[in-house]
Amino acid sequence: MGGDYERMPARTCATMGTVVSLRLGGSAADVDSAAVEVVESVFRRWDEQFSLYREDSELSRIARGDIRLTEASQSLRSCYALALDWRERTRGVFTPHRADGVIDLSGVVKALAIAEAGTVLTARSPANWSINAGGDVLVGGNAGHPEWVVAIVDPGNRSEVIANVPLGYPLRAVATSGSAERGEHIWTPRDGEPSPFRQVSVFAADIVTADVLATAIVAGGESTLSEMTERFAIDVLAVLRDGQLLATPGLRRTA
């Protein structure tokens, strides 16, 4: 984050294999501790149900064959249905199925947890807020509130910033996907070829759209980038493997 909000103390918690950072604006300092507890409980619940790294999670039990998908909870089946809907909307580029057939909902689960935490924060306080979960950011506030500023790091040098982008109404969310931190972890339909993108950041009105489309564009390449920017109200900053930057017109206007 940048701008005046840098002076706000960040409250952090470790969850979902990453760090979640929460900042509250306005006069909400007296609810910081309670807000952090709420956010932690939201992320913990999603992780306990959907993490494939936890043997006791409901999704791990499905992966092992202990229970059938039809026997799963309504919340898990709804999450799976959402992922399938996004598979259709991205023409199969985004998928909730790994190459070995295992259902992996990580492509939507973190974003859903961020969205739920944001809904809870909005209900608790009218103040501005931001949630940063491993670089995926959602901010509160409406038109007329000051904008937050997000820093997009250089995938070739994580200590450098390639862009500082205002984030606020109506594009309140940004998600970044790529190979810079976790290696080639995104499944691509490109005949086994690596993605042409080192990193893709998508700015959208909601965090689920931002997260899904960031993953889809990395997986689908430049043709998917062109199609998704035509079909969805998003801005995109993409870094090609040679370091070249591609930015949609909305981002070029803010530079």
Side-chain angles (χ1 to χ4, degrees), residues 199-219:
Q199 178 175 283
V200 171
S201 298
V202 172
F203 298 78
D206 69 278
I207 190 64
V208 175
T209 297
D211 202 11
V212 168
L213 294 186
T215 300
I217 291 169
V218 171

Side-chain angles (χ1 to χ4, degrees), residues 104-119:
D104 186 342
L105 299 176
S106 58
V108 294
V109 163
K110 184 172 72 169
L112 288 169
I114 295 171
E116 182 181 340
T119 298

Side-chain angles (χ1 to χ4, degrees), residues 32-149:
D32 273 12
S33 295
V36 171
E37 290 178 4
V38 171
V39 169
E40 286 181 338
S41 67
V42 168
F43 279 92
R44 183 168 55 250
R45 173 166 44 80
W46 282 92
D47 189 53
E48 289 173 351
Q49 184 175 13
F50 291 96
S51 174
L52 287 174
Y53 295 99
R54 299 175 62 106
E55 292 185 1
D56 59 343
S57 76
E58 186 177 14
L59 196 58
S60 288
R61 293 173 63 204
I62 291 174
R64 289 195 303 270
D66 296 347
I67 59 173
R68 297 178 180 178
L69 181 61
T70 53
E71 301 169 330
S73 65
Q74 180 61 51
S75 58
L76 189 147
R77 286 184 283 120
S78 294
C79 187
Y80 180 58
L82 175 67
L84 291 179
D85 179 62
W86 274 110
R87 184 180 67 180
E88 293 300 315
R89 297 174 73 184
T90 60
R91 307 189 196 283
V93 179
F94 176 86
T95 176
H97 299 108
R98 295 193 325 206
D100 59 5
V102 170
I103 296 173
D104 186 342
L105 299 176
S106 58
V108 294
V109 163
K110 184 172 72 169
L112 288 169
I114 295 171
E116 182 181 340
T119 298
V120 171
L121 289 177
T122 298
R124 293 179 65 90
S125 172
N128 268 359
W129 48 262
S130 77
I131 301 172
N132 183 334
D136 294 343
V137 180
L138 178 67
V139 303
N142 299 310
H145 278 83
E147 291 179 320
W148 298 79
V149 177

